[in-house]
Amino acid sequence: MLRKSRRVAADCRLEYIGEDDFEGGAELLDLSSTGCMAKAEQALPPGLRMKVSVFLSDGHEWPVRVEEAVVRWARGG
C-alpha cells in the first residue's frame, strides 16, 4: 500500500472528545501529516468526528490541538 505521507513512531498520550461529549484517551503509536494511529481505551466507530489533544513527550506544557479528526478505520481498540 502506498502512503500519502511518511509515518513517524510516537509514544505519547492523546485525549479526544467526540460528538455528544463522547470522550476518552489513547496511546499515540505513530503520526504523519495526514493522520495518526492510536490504541484507544475503548472501541471507536469509523466515521466518528472528534477534537483531539496530543500531549507530546518533548516537555511542552500545552498539547497540540486538532479541531476536527475523523476515525477512518478501527481494529480491536
Side-chain angles (χ1 to χ4, degrees), residues 49-75:
R49 294 183 182 281
M50 65 182 83
K51 292 182 180 183
V52 174
S53 297
V54 179
F55 296 84
L56 300 172
S57 56
D58 62 0
H60 279 85
E61 185 176 340
W62 303 105
V64 174
R65 298 200 192 278
V66 177
E67 287 300 312
E68 185 176 51
V70 180
V71 177
R72 295 293 179 205
W73 62 273
R75 179 182 65 225

Side-chain angles (χ1 to χ4, degrees), residues 3 7-8 12 14 35 44 48-49 51 55 62 75:
R3 301 220 177 264
R7 290 184 177 200
V8 177
C12 53
L14 176 148
L44 301 175
L48 178 71
R49 294 183 182 281
K51 292 182 180 183
F55 296 84
W62 303 105
R75 179 182 65 225

Side-chain angles (χ1 to χ4, degrees), residues 1-2 4-5 7 16-17 26 32 36 38 42 45 58 61 74:
M1 177 180 182
L2 195 58
K4 291 181 181 179
S5 58
R7 290 184 177 200
Y16 55 85
I17 182 164
S32 74
C36 70
Q42 55 190 328
D58 62 0
E61 185 176 340

